[in-house]
């Protein structure tokens, strides 16, 4: 199996809204497996299909310290969010080395299909809840820098463009 290329901010393809997946077939299972391999190799805790230029509603994640509980979420929908919010530093594999504070719901419930097409509901708190919200934003064409001030966002964009030029 081979890893996938992760799009880097400010690549405009990261702004694409992902389309629902009609059927969980071998193609989707293969993409999910390659996304997990890419996420683990990149030391990430989550990776949305949008970030690897696949514009379908799917993301993978593993927020465990042991890195041994991979989750594949296909056609995810938030069914409940807590009123309580939490604020913490977030990073992103599409914006490597950049971290900033983002406010998120402290707890969420997400309904999604797994890699076998079975529907399940996950009740998440802490890092897992933050990761779910972060990856779902990707599926809507949104990045964590969109929560920052225009000044901060433009500084990050400039830094990423300089980095890309070498």
């Amino acid at each position: 199996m081979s890893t996938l290329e992760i799009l880097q901010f400010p690549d405009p393809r990261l702004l694409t809204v992902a389309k629902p997946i009609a059927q969980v077939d071998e193609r989707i299972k293969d993409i999910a497996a390659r996304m997990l391999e890419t996420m683990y190799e990149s030391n990430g805790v989550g990776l949305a299909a949008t970030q690897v230029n696949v514009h379908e509603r799917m993301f993978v994640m593993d927020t465990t310290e042991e890195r041994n509980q991979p989750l594949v979420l296909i056609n995810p929908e938030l069914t409940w969010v807590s009123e309580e919010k939490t604020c913490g530093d977030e990073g992103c594999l599409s914006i490597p080395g950049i971290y900033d504070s983002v406010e998120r719901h402290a707890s969420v419930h997400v309904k999604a299909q797994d890699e076998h097409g079975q529907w399940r509901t996950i009740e998440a708190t802490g890092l897992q809840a933050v990761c779910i919200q972060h990856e779902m934003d990707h599926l809507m064409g949104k990045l964590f820098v969109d929560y920052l001030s225009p000044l901060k966002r433009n500084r990050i964009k400039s830094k990423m463009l300089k980095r890309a030029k070498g």
Side-chain angles (χ1 to χ4, degrees), residues 94-130:
S94 291
I95 314 170
I98 306 292
Y99 300 88
D100 213 314
S101 188
V102 176
E103 185 177 70
R104 301 280 188 183
H105 296 281
S107 304
V108 299
H109 295 178
V110 63
K111 178 181 167 188
Q113 290 172 280
D114 64 18
E115 64 272 27
H116 307 292
Q118 300 300 310
W119 285 95
R120 60 189 291 186
T121 297
I122 297 169
E123 297 179 6
T125 59
L127 178 58
Q128 191 177 48
V130 169

Side-chain angles (χ1 to χ4, degrees), residues 61-77:
M61 62 185 282
D62 185 346
T63 56
T64 63
E65 282 188 37
E66 300 80 18
R67 314 292 284 144
N68 62 358
Q69 293 181 34
L71 291 174
V72 175
L73 288 89
I74 298 168
N75 295 319
E77 304 167 30

Side-chain angles (χ1 to χ4, degrees), residues 19-38:
K19 295 188 177 359
I21 294 172
Q23 182 178 356
V24 180
D25 55 18
E26 288 307 312
R27 181 184 71 84
I28 294 298
K29 289 178 187 177
D30 179 63
I31 292 168
R34 292 178 70 200
M35 285 174 60
L36 281 165
E37 183 178 343
T38 302

Side-chain angles (χ1 to χ4, degrees), residues 101-159:
S101 188
V102 176
E103 185 177 70
R104 301 280 188 183
H105 296 281
S107 304
V108 299
H109 295 178
V110 63
K111 178 181 167 188
Q113 290 172 280
D114 64 18
E115 64 272 27
H116 307 292
Q118 300 300 310
W119 285 95
R120 60 189 291 186
T121 297
I122 297 169
E123 297 179 6
T125 59
L127 178 58
Q128 191 177 48
V130 169
C131 186
I132 287 168
Q133 292 168 85
H134 178 107
E135 301 309 331
M136 289 191 68
D137 277 352
H138 277 299
L139 301 180
M140 297 306 297
K142 189 171 185 174
L143 298 161
F144 88 87
V145 293
D146 294 330
Y147 292 96
L148 307 178
S149 70
L151 178 64
K152 276 188 176 181
R153 191 169 43 253
N154 286 332
R155 282 185 183 157
I156 292 168
K157 183 178 182 178
S158 295
K159 187 183 282 190

